[in-house]
Amino acid sequence: MVQLIPGLLYVIVLTAIFTVLLVSLTAASLLSQARAIVRRRYLGSVVSSRNVHKVAKLRPILATATAVLLQVQDMETNRLLTTFKRPATMRLYEQCFYIKPYFASGAYLIGVNDIDNVSTTSNALVVTFAHEDRVIVLQCRAPHISKWRDSLRWLISNHK
């Protein structure tokens, strides 16, 4: 009987760890799916897999493969439309601002005409844009953030 207790304790500990991992991964998956549904409802065509094909033939003004998408937020309802921070690639074209998270099928494509304000806060680029009468704020972090801010402001002033 004494020899069975360590083996039984080992099985109980492994079962508890497996159960905690299973529950937490399921919760994270459900939360991500719920946020994806809400993001589609709020953003519509701003984030889609077609956006990747739309910009494939264009030449970017600025591009970096080392950005981080911090958050996308609807300011009217104060609702986050992203689940967690994600590494991404950022590109700036004459007509649009493009950001695609790694391992995602869709990309964010924001027209320069839709962008209301560009600023930097705590080493992050903050892009405020309007989509279907909603004010959306996209925050991302990248190297040389002041170059991105200045280029976006210059494009916005030339398009409006």
Coordinates of all heavy atoms in Angstrom, one line a residue, residues 35-121:
R35 N -14.2 37.4 -29.9 CA -13.6 38.7 -30.3 C -13.6 38.8 -31.8 O -13.8 39.8 -32.4 CB -12.2 38.8 -29.8 CG -12.2 39.1 -28.3 CD -12.3 40.6 -28.0 NE -12.6 40.9 -26.6 CZ -11.6 41.2 -25.7 NH1 -10.4 41.3 -26.1 NH2 -12.0 41.4 -24.5
A36 N -13.3 37.6 -32.5 CA -13.3 37.6 -34.0 C -14.7 38.0 -34.5 O -14.8 38.7 -35.5 CB -12.8 36.3 -34.5
I37 N -15.7 37.4 -33.9 CA -17.1 37.7 -34.4 C -17.4 39.2 -34.2 O -17.9 39.9 -35.1 CB -18.1 36.8 -33.6 CG1 -17.9 35.4 -34.1 CG2 -19.5 37.3 -33.9 CD1 -18.6 34.4 -33.2
V38 N -17.0 39.7 -33.0 CA -17.3 41.1 -32.7 C -16.5 42.0 -33.6 O -17.0 43.0 -34.1 CB -17.0 41.4 -31.2 CG1 -16.9 42.9 -31.0 CG2 -18.0 40.7 -30.3
R39 N -15.2 41.6 -33.9 CA -14.4 42.4 -34.8 C -15.0 42.5 -36.2 O -15.0 43.5 -36.8 CB -13.0 41.8 -34.8 CG -12.0 42.6 -35.6 CD -10.6 42.1 -35.6 NE -10.5 40.7 -36.1 CZ -10.0 39.7 -35.4 NH1 -9.5 39.9 -34.2 NH2 -10.0 38.5 -35.9
R40 N -15.5 41.4 -36.7 CA -16.1 41.4 -38.0 C -17.3 42.3 -38.0 O -17.6 42.9 -39.0 CB -16.6 39.9 -38.4 CG -15.4 39.0 -38.6 CD -14.8 39.2 -40.0 NE -13.7 38.3 -40.1 CZ -12.8 38.4 -41.0 NH1 -12.8 39.4 -41.8 NH2 -11.8 37.5 -41.1
R41 N -18.1 42.3 -37.0 CA -19.3 43.1 -36.9 C -18.9 44.6 -36.9 O -19.5 45.4 -37.5 CB -20.1 42.8 -35.7 CG -21.4 43.5 -35.6 CD -22.2 43.2 -34.3 NE -22.3 41.7 -34.1 CZ -22.2 41.2 -32.9 NH1 -22.0 41.9 -31.9 NH2 -22.3 39.9 -32.8
Y42 N -17.9 44.9 -36.2 CA -17.5 46.3 -36.0 C -16.6 46.9 -37.2 O -16.8 48.0 -37.6 CB -16.7 46.6 -34.7 CG -17.6 46.7 -33.5 CD1 -18.3 45.6 -33.0 CD2 -17.7 47.9 -32.8 CE1 -19.1 45.7 -31.9 CE2 -18.5 48.0 -31.7 CZ -19.2 46.9 -31.2 OH -20.0 47.0 -30.1
L43 N -15.7 46.0 -37.7 CA -14.8 46.5 -38.7 C -15.1 46.1 -40.1 O -14.7 46.8 -41.0 CB -13.4 46.0 -38.3 CG -12.8 46.5 -37.1 CD1 -11.5 45.9 -36.8 CD2 -12.6 48.0 -37.2
G44 N -15.9 45.0 -40.3 CA -16.3 44.6 -41.6 C -15.1 44.4 -42.6 O -14.3 43.6 -42.3
S45 N -15.0 45.2 -43.6 CA -14.0 45.0 -44.7 C -12.7 45.6 -44.3 O -11.7 45.3 -45.0 CB -14.5 45.7 -46.0 OG -14.6 47.1 -45.7
V46 N -12.5 46.2 -43.2 CA -11.2 46.8 -42.8 C -10.3 45.6 -42.5 O -9.1 45.6 -42.8 CB -11.3 47.7 -41.5 CG1 -10.0 48.0 -41.0 CG2 -12.1 48.9 -41.9
V47 N -10.8 44.5 -41.9 CA -10.0 43.3 -41.7 C -10.5 42.2 -42.5 O -11.7 41.8 -42.2 CB -9.8 43.0 -40.2 CG1 -11.2 42.8 -39.5 CG2 -9.0 41.8 -39.9
S48 N -9.8 41.6 -43.4 CA -10.2 40.5 -44.2 C -9.0 39.8 -44.9 O -8.0 40.4 -45.0 CB -11.3 40.9 -45.2 OG -10.7 41.6 -46.3
S49 N -9.3 38.6 -45.4 CA -8.2 37.9 -46.1 C -8.0 38.5 -47.5 O -6.9 38.3 -48.1 CB -8.5 36.4 -46.1 OG -9.7 36.2 -46.7
R50 N -9.0 39.2 -48.0 CA -8.9 39.8 -49.3 C -7.9 40.9 -49.3 O -7.3 41.2 -50.4 CB -10.2 40.3 -49.8 CG -11.2 39.2 -50.1 CD -12.4 39.8 -50.7 NE -13.5 38.9 -50.4 CZ -14.8 39.2 -50.4 NH1 -15.1 40.5 -50.7 NH2 -15.7 38.4 -50.1
N51 N -7.7 41.6 -48.2 CA -6.8 42.7 -48.1 C -5.3 42.3 -48.4 O -4.6 43.1 -48.9 CB -6.9 43.3 -46.7 CG -8.2 44.0 -46.5 OD1 -8.9 44.3 -47.4 ND2 -8.5 44.2 -45.2
V52 N -5.0 41.1 -48.1 CA -3.6 40.6 -48.4 C -3.4 40.6 -49.9 O -2.3 41.0 -50.4 CB -3.4 39.2 -47.8 CG1 -2.0 38.7 -48.1 CG2 -3.6 39.2 -46.3
H53 N -4.4 40.1 -50.7 CA -4.3 40.1 -52.1 C -4.4 41.5 -52.8 O -3.8 41.7 -53.8 CB -5.4 39.2 -52.7 CG -5.3 37.8 -52.1 ND1 -4.3 36.9 -52.4 CD2 -6.1 37.1 -51.3 CE1 -4.5 35.8 -51.8 NE2 -5.6 35.9 -51.1
K54 N -5.1 42.4 -52.1 CA -5.3 43.7 -52.7 C -4.0 44.5 -52.8 O -3.7 45.3 -53.7 CB -6.3 44.6 -51.8 CG -7.7 44.2 -52.0 CD -8.6 45.1 -51.1 CE -10.0 44.6 -51.2 NZ -10.9 45.4 -50.3
V55 N -3.1 44.3 -51.8 CA -1.9 45.1 -51.7 C -0.7 44.3 -52.3 O 0.5 44.8 -52.2 CB -1.6 45.6 -50.3 CG1 -2.7 46.5 -49.8 CG2 -1.3 44.4 -49.4
A56 N -0.9 43.1 -52.7 CA 0.3 42.3 -53.2 C 1.0 42.9 -54.3 O 2.2 42.7 -54.4 CB -0.2 40.9 -53.6
K57 N 0.4 43.6 -55.2 CA 1.0 44.2 -56.4 C 1.5 45.6 -56.2 O 2.2 46.2 -57.0 CB 0.1 44.2 -57.6 CG -0.3 42.8 -58.0 CD -1.3 42.8 -59.1 CE -1.8 41.3 -59.4 NZ -2.8 41.3 -60.4
L58 N 1.2 46.2 -55.0 CA 1.6 47.6 -54.8 C 3.0 47.7 -54.2 O 3.4 46.7 -53.6 CB 0.5 48.3 -53.8 CG -0.9 48.3 -54.3 CD1 -1.8 48.9 -53.2 CD2 -1.0 49.1 -55.6
R59 N 3.6 48.8 -54.3 CA 4.9 49.1 -53.8 C 4.8 49.9 -52.5 O 4.2 51.0 -52.6 CB 5.8 49.7 -54.7 CG 6.1 48.9 -56.0 CD 7.2 49.5 -56.8 NE 8.4 49.6 -56.0 CZ 9.5 48.9 -56.2 NH1 9.5 48.1 -57.2 NH2 10.6 49.1 -55.5
P60 N 5.2 49.5 -51.4 CA 5.1 50.2 -50.1 C 6.0 51.4 -50.1 O 7.1 51.4 -50.6 CB 5.4 49.2 -49.0 CG 6.3 48.2 -49.7 CD 5.9 48.2 -51.1
I61 N 5.6 52.5 -49.4 CA 6.4 53.6 -49.1 C 7.3 53.3 -47.9 O 8.5 53.5 -47.9 CB 5.6 54.9 -48.8 CG1 4.8 55.2 -50.0 CG2 6.4 56.0 -48.3 CD1 3.7 56.3 -49.7
L62 N 6.7 52.7 -46.8 CA 7.4 52.2 -45.7 C 7.0 50.8 -45.4 O 5.8 50.4 -45.6 CB 7.1 53.0 -44.4 CG 7.8 54.4 -44.3 CD1 7.2 55.1 -43.0 CD2 9.3 54.2 -44.1
A63 N 7.9 50.0 -44.9 CA 7.6 48.6 -44.6 C 8.5 48.1 -43.4 O 9.6 48.4 -43.4 CB 7.7 47.7 -45.8
T64 N 7.9 47.3 -42.5 CA 8.7 46.7 -41.5 C 8.0 45.3 -41.1 O 6.8 45.2 -41.2 CB 8.8 47.5 -40.2 OG1 9.6 46.9 -39.3 CG2 7.4 47.8 -39.6
A65 N 8.9 44.4 -40.9 CA 8.4 43.0 -40.5 C 8.4 42.8 -39.0 O 8.1 41.7 -38.5 CB 9.2 42.0 -41.2
T66 N 8.8 43.8 -38.2 CA 9.0 43.6 -36.8 C 8.0 44.5 -36.0 O 8.4 45.1 -34.9 CB 10.4 44.0 -36.4 OG1 10.7 45.3 -36.8 CG2 11.4 43.0 -37.1
A67 N 6.8 44.6 -36.3 CA 5.8 45.4 -35.6 C 5.1 44.5 -34.6 O 5.1 43.3 -34.7 CB 4.9 46.1 -36.5
V68 N 4.4 45.2 -33.7 CA 3.5 44.4 -32.7 C 2.2 45.2 -32.7 O 2.1 46.4 -32.5 CB 4.1 44.4 -31.3 CG1 3.1 43.8 -30.4 CG2 5.4 43.7 -31.3
L69 N 1.1 44.4 -33.1 CA -0.3 45.0 -33.0 C -0.7 44.9 -31.5 O -0.9 43.8 -31.0 CB -1.2 44.2 -33.9 CG -2.7 44.6 -33.9 CD1 -2.8 46.0 -34.4 CD2 -3.5 43.7 -34.7
L70 N -0.8 46.1 -30.9 CA -1.2 46.1 -29.5 C -2.6 45.9 -29.2 O -3.1 45.0 -28.5 CB -0.7 47.4 -28.8 CG 0.8 47.6 -28.9 CD1 1.2 49.0 -28.3 CD2 1.6 46.6 -28.1
Q71 N -3.5 46.7 -29.9 CA -4.9 46.6 -29.7 C -5.7 47.4 -30.8 O -5.1 48.3 -31.4 CB -5.3 47.1 -28.3 CG -5.2 48.6 -28.1 CD -5.7 49.0 -26.7 OE1 -5.9 48.2 -25.9 NE2 -5.7 50.3 -26.5
V72 N -6.9 47.0 -31.0 CA -7.8 47.7 -31.8 C -9.1 47.9 -30.9 O -9.6 47.0 -30.4 CB -8.2 46.9 -33.1 CG1 -9.2 47.7 -33.9 CG2 -7.0 46.6 -33.9
Q73 N -9.5 49.2 -30.8 CA -10.6 49.5 -29.9 C -11.6 50.4 -30.5 O -11.3 51.4 -31.2 CB -10.0 50.2 -28.6 CG -10.9 50.5 -27.6 CD -10.2 51.1 -26.3 OE1 -9.1 51.4 -26.4 NE2 -10.9 51.2 -25.2
D74 N -12.9 50.1 -30.2 CA -14.0 51.0 -30.6 C -14.2 52.0 -29.5 O -14.4 51.6 -28.4 CB -15.3 50.2 -30.8 CG -16.4 51.0 -31.3 OD1 -16.2 52.2 -31.6 OD2 -17.6 50.5 -31.3
M75 N -14.0 53.3 -29.8 CA -14.1 54.3 -28.8 C -15.5 54.6 -28.3 O -15.7 55.0 -27.2 CB -13.4 55.6 -29.3 CG -11.9 55.4 -29.6 SD -11.0 54.7 -28.2 CE -11.1 56.1 -27.1
E76 N -16.5 54.4 -29.2 CA -17.8 54.8 -28.8 C -18.4 53.8 -27.7 O -19.0 54.2 -26.7 CB -18.8 54.7 -30.0 CG -18.5 55.8 -31.0 CD -19.3 55.8 -32.2 OE1 -20.3 55.0 -32.2 OE2 -19.0 56.5 -33.2
T77 N -18.1 52.5 -27.8 CA -18.5 51.6 -26.9 C -17.4 51.1 -25.9 O -17.7 50.4 -25.0 CB -19.1 50.3 -27.6 OG1 -18.0 49.7 -28.3 CG2 -20.3 50.6 -28.4
N78 N -16.2 51.7 -26.1 CA -15.1 51.3 -25.3 C -14.8 49.8 -25.3 O -14.6 49.2 -24.2 CB -15.2 51.9 -23.9 CG -13.8 52.0 -23.2 OD1 -12.8 51.9 -23.9 ND2 -13.9 52.1 -21.9
R79 N -14.9 49.2 -26.4 CA -14.8 47.7 -26.5 C -13.5 47.4 -27.3 O -13.3 47.9 -28.4 CB -16.0 47.2 -27.3 CG -15.9 45.7 -27.5 CD -17.1 45.2 -28.2 NE -18.0 44.9 -27.1 CZ -19.1 44.2 -27.2 NH1 -19.5 43.8 -28.4 NH2 -19.9 43.9 -26.2
L80 N -12.7 46.5 -26.7 CA -11.5 46.0 -27.4 C -11.9 45.0 -28.5 O -12.8 44.1 -28.2 CB -10.6 45.3 -26.4 CG -9.7 46.2 -25.6 CD1 -8.9 45.4 -24.6 CD2 -8.8 47.1 -26.4
L81 N -11.4 45.1 -29.7 CA -11.7 44.2 -30.8 C -10.6 43.2 -31.0 O -10.7 42.4 -31.9 CB -12.0 45.1 -32.0 CG -13.1 46.1 -31.9 CD1 -13.2 46.9 -33.2 CD2 -14.4 45.5 -31.5
T82 N -9.5 43.3 -30.2 CA -8.5 42.3 -30.3 C -8.4 41.6 -29.0 O -8.7 42.1 -27.9 CB -7.1 42.9 -30.6 OG1 -6.9 44.0 -29.7 CG2 -7.1 43.5 -32.0
T83 N -7.8 40.4 -29.0 CA -7.7 39.6 -27.8 C -6.4 39.8 -27.1 O -6.4 39.9 -25.9 CB -7.9 38.1 -28.1 OG1 -9.1 37.9 -28.9 CG2 -8.0 37.2 -26.9
F84 N -5.3 39.8 -27.8 CA -4.0 39.9 -27.2 C -3.0 40.6 -28.2 O -3.3 40.7 -29.4 CB -3.5 38.6 -26.8 CG -3.6 37.5 -27.8 CD1 -2.7 37.3 -28.8 CD2 -4.7 36.6 -27.7 CE1 -2.9 36.3 -29.8 CE2 -4.9 35.6 -28.7 CZ -4.0 35.5 -29.7
K85 N -1.9 40.9 -27.7 CA -0.8 41.5 -28.6 C -0.3 40.5 -29.5 O -0.1 39.3 -29.1 CB 0.3 42.1 -27.7 CG -0.1 43.1 -26.7 CD 1.1 43.5 -25.8 CE 0.6 44.5 -24.8 NZ 1.6 44.8 -23.8
R86 N 0.0 40.9 -30.8 CA 0.4 40.0 -31.8 C 1.5 40.6 -32.6 O 1.5 41.7 -33.0 CB -0.7 39.6 -32.7 CG -1.9 39.0 -32.0 CD -3.0 38.6 -32.9 NE -2.6 37.5 -33.7 CZ -3.4 37.0 -34.6 NH1 -4.6 37.5 -34.8 NH2 -3.0 35.9 -35.3
P87 N 2.6 39.8 -32.9 CA 3.6 40.3 -33.8 C 3.0 40.4 -35.2 O 2.1 39.7 -35.6 CB 4.7 39.2 -33.8 CG 4.0 38.0 -33.2 CD 2.9 38.5 -32.4
A88 N 3.4 41.4 -36.0 CA 2.8 41.7 -37.2 C 3.8 42.4 -38.2 O 4.9 42.8 -37.8 CB 1.6 42.6 -37.0
T89 N 3.4 42.5 -39.4 CA 4.1 43.3 -40.4 C 3.3 44.5 -40.7 O 2.0 44.5 -40.8 CB 4.3 42.5 -41.7 OG1 3.1 42.2 -42.3 CG2 5.2 41.3 -41.5
M90 N 4.0 45.7 -40.9 CA 3.3 46.9 -41.2 C 3.8 47.4 -42.5 O 5.0 47.4 -42.8 CB 3.6 48.0 -40.1 CG 2.6 48.0 -39.0 SD 2.7 49.3 -37.8 CE 4.2 50.2 -38.1
R91 N 2.9 48.0 -43.3 CA 3.3 48.6 -44.6 C 2.5 49.9 -44.8 O 1.3 49.9 -44.4 CB 3.1 47.7 -45.8 CG 3.9 46.5 -45.7 CD 3.7 45.6 -47.0 NE 4.3 44.3 -46.8 CZ 3.9 43.2 -47.4 NH1 2.8 43.3 -48.2 NH2 4.4 42.1 -47.1
L92 N 3.1 50.8 -45.4 CA 2.4 52.1 -45.7 C 2.4 52.3 -47.2 O 3.5 52.3 -47.8 CB 3.0 53.3 -45.0 CG 2.4 54.6 -45.2 CD1 1.0 54.7 -44.7 CD2 3.2 55.7 -44.5
Y93 N 1.3 52.4 -47.8 CA 1.1 52.7 -49.2 C 0.6 54.1 -49.4 O 0.1 54.7 -48.5 CB 0.2 51.7 -49.9 CG 0.7 50.2 -49.7 CD1 0.2 49.4 -48.7 CD2 1.6 49.7 -50.6 CE1 0.7 48.1 -48.6 CE2 2.1 48.4 -50.5 CZ 1.6 47.6 -49.5 OH 2.0 46.3 -49.4
E94 N 0.6 54.5 -50.7 CA 0.0 55.9 -50.9 C -1.4 56.0 -50.6 O -1.9 57.1 -50.2 CB 0.3 56.3 -52.4 CG 1.7 56.6 -52.7 CD 1.9 57.1 -54.1 OE1 0.9 57.7 -54.6 OE2 2.9 56.9 -54.7
Q95 N -2.2 54.9 -50.8 CA -3.6 55.0 -50.5 C -4.1 54.4 -49.2 O -5.2 54.5 -48.8 CB -4.4 54.3 -51.7 CG -4.1 54.9 -53.1 CD -4.6 56.3 -53.2 OE1 -5.7 56.6 -52.6 NE2 -3.9 57.1 -53.9
C96 N -3.2 53.6 -48.6 CA -3.7 52.9 -47.4 C -2.6 52.5 -46.4 O -1.4 52.6 -46.8 CB -4.4 51.6 -47.8 SG -3.4 50.5 -48.8
F97 N -3.0 52.2 -45.2 CA -2.1 51.7 -44.1 C -2.5 50.3 -43.9 O -3.6 49.9 -43.7 CB -2.3 52.5 -42.9 CG -1.6 52.1 -41.7 CD1 -0.2 52.1 -41.6 CD2 -2.2 51.5 -40.6 CE1 0.5 51.7 -40.5 CE2 -1.5 51.1 -39.5 CZ -0.1 51.2 -39.5
Y98 N -1.5 49.4 -43.9 CA -1.7 47.9 -43.9 C -0.9 47.3 -42.7 O 0.2 47.6 -42.5 CB -1.2 47.4 -45.2 CG -1.1 45.9 -45.4 CD1 -2.2 45.2 -45.8 CD2 0.1 45.2 -45.1 CE1 -2.1 43.8 -46.0 CE2 0.2 43.8 -45.2 CZ -0.9 43.1 -45.7 OH -0.9 41.8 -45.9
I99 N -1.6 46.5 -42.0 CA -1.0 45.7 -40.9 C -1.5 44.3 -40.8 O -2.8 44.1 -40.8 CB -1.1 46.5 -39.5 CG1 -0.3 45.7 -38.4 CG2 -2.5 46.7 -39.1 CD1 -0.1 46.5 -37.2
K100 N -0.6 43.4 -40.9 CA -1.0 41.9 -40.9 C -0.4 41.2 -39.8 O 0.8 41.0 -39.8 CB -0.7 41.3 -42.2 CG -1.1 39.8 -42.3 CD -0.7 39.2 -43.6 CE -1.2 37.8 -43.7 NZ -0.8 36.9 -42.6
P101 N -1.2 40.7 -38.8 CA -0.6 39.9 -37.8 C 0.0 38.6 -38.3 O -0.6 38.0 -39.3 CB -1.8 39.6 -36.8 CG -2.8 40.7 -37.2 CD -2.6 41.0 -38.6
Y102 N 1.1 38.1 -37.7 CA 1.6 36.8 -38.1 C 0.6 35.7 -37.8 O -0.2 35.8 -36.9 CB 2.9 36.5 -37.4 CG 4.1 37.3 -37.7 CD1 5.1 37.6 -36.8 CD2 4.2 38.0 -39.0 CE1 6.2 38.4 -37.1 CE2 5.2 38.8 -39.3 CZ 6.2 39.0 -38.4 OH 7.3 39.8 -38.7
F103 N 0.6 34.6 -38.6 CA -0.2 33.5 -38.4 C -1.7 33.8 -38.5 O -2.5 33.1 -37.9 CB 0.1 32.7 -37.2 CG 1.5 32.4 -37.0 CD1 2.2 33.0 -35.9 CD2 2.2 31.6 -37.8 CE1 3.6 32.8 -35.8 CE2 3.6 31.4 -37.7 CZ 4.3 32.0 -36.7
A104 N -2.1 34.9 -39.2 CA -3.5 35.2 -39.4 C -3.8 35.3 -40.9 O -2.9 35.6 -41.7 CB -3.8 36.6 -38.8
S105 N -5.0 34.9 -41.2 CA -5.3 34.9 -42.6 C -5.7 36.3 -43.1 O -5.6 36.6 -44.3 CB -6.5 33.9 -42.9 OG -7.6 34.3 -42.1
G106 N -6.2 37.1 -42.2 CA -6.6 38.4 -42.6 C -5.7 39.5 -42.2 O -4.8 39.3 -41.4
A107 N -5.9 40.7 -42.9 CA -5.0 41.8 -42.6 C -5.9 43.1 -42.4 O -7.0 43.2 -43.0 CB -4.0 42.0 -43.7
Y108 N -5.4 44.1 -41.7 CA -6.1 45.3 -41.5 C -5.6 46.3 -42.7 O -4.4 46.4 -42.9 CB -5.7 46.0 -40.2 CG -6.2 45.2 -39.0 CD1 -5.5 44.2 -38.4 CD2 -7.5 45.5 -38.4 CE1 -5.9 43.5 -37.3 CE2 -7.9 44.8 -37.3 CZ -7.1 43.8 -36.8 OH -7.6 43.1 -35.7
L109 N -6.6 46.8 -43.4 CA -6.3 47.7 -44.5 C -7.2 49.0 -44.3 O -8.4 49.0 -44.4 CB -6.6 47.1 -45.8 CG -6.3 47.8 -47.1 CD1 -4.7 48.0 -47.1 CD2 -6.8 47.1 -48.3
I110 N -6.5 50.1 -43.9 CA -7.2 51.3 -43.6 C -6.8 52.3 -44.6 O -5.7 52.6 -44.9 CB -6.7 51.8 -42.2 CG1 -7.0 50.8 -41.1 CG2 -7.5 53.1 -41.8 CD1 -6.2 51.0 -39.8
G111 N -7.9 52.9 -45.3 CA -7.6 53.9 -46.3 C -7.1 55.2 -45.7 O -7.5 55.6 -44.6
V112 N -6.2 55.8 -46.4 CA -5.6 57.1 -45.8 C -6.7 58.1 -45.7 O -6.7 59.0 -44.7 CB -4.5 57.6 -46.8 CG1 -4.0 58.9 -46.4 CG2 -3.4 56.6 -46.8
N113 N -7.7 58.1 -46.5 CA -8.8 59.1 -46.4 C -9.7 58.9 -45.1 O -10.3 59.8 -44.6 CB -9.8 59.0 -47.6 CG -9.0 59.5 -48.9 OD1 -8.1 60.3 -48.8 ND2 -9.5 58.9 -50.0
D114 N -9.7 57.7 -44.6 CA -10.5 57.3 -43.4 C -9.7 57.7 -42.1 O -10.4 57.8 -41.0 CB -10.8 55.9 -43.4 CG -11.7 55.5 -44.5 OD1 -12.4 56.3 -45.1 OD2 -11.7 54.3 -44.9
I115 N -8.4 57.9 -42.2 CA -7.6 58.2 -41.0 C -7.9 59.6 -40.5 O -7.7 60.6 -41.3 CB -6.1 57.9 -41.2 CG1 -5.9 56.5 -41.6 CG2 -5.3 58.3 -40.0 CD1 -4.5 56.2 -42.0
D116 N -8.3 59.8 -39.2 CA -8.5 61.1 -38.7 C -7.3 61.7 -38.0 O -7.1 62.9 -38.1 CB -9.7 61.0 -37.6 CG -11.0 60.6 -38.3 OD1 -11.2 61.0 -39.5 OD2 -11.9 60.0 -37.6
N117 N -6.6 60.8 -37.2 CA -5.5 61.3 -36.4 C -4.4 60.3 -36.3 O -4.7 59.1 -36.2 CB -6.0 61.7 -35.0 CG -5.0 62.5 -34.2 OD1 -4.0 63.0 -34.7 ND2 -5.2 62.5 -32.9
V118 N -3.2 60.7 -36.2 CA -2.0 59.9 -36.0 C -1.2 60.5 -34.9 O -0.9 61.7 -35.0 CB -1.2 59.7 -37.3 CG1 0.0 58.8 -37.1 CG2 -2.0 59.1 -38.4
S119 N -0.9 59.7 -33.9 CA 0.0 60.2 -32.8 C 0.8 59.1 -32.3 O 0.7 57.9 -32.7 CB -0.9 60.8 -31.7 OG -1.8 59.8 -31.2
T120 N 1.7 59.4 -31.3 CA 2.5 58.4 -30.6 C 2.3 58.6 -29.1 O 2.3 59.7 -28.6 CB 4.0 58.5 -31.0 OG1 4.4 59.9 -30.7 CG2 4.2 58.2 -32.4
T121 N 2.1 57.5 -28.4 CA 2.0 57.5 -27.0 C 2.8 56.3 -26.5 O 2.6 55.2 -26.9 CB 0.5 57.4 -26.5 OG1 -0.1 56.3 -27.0 CG2 -0.3 58.7 -26.8

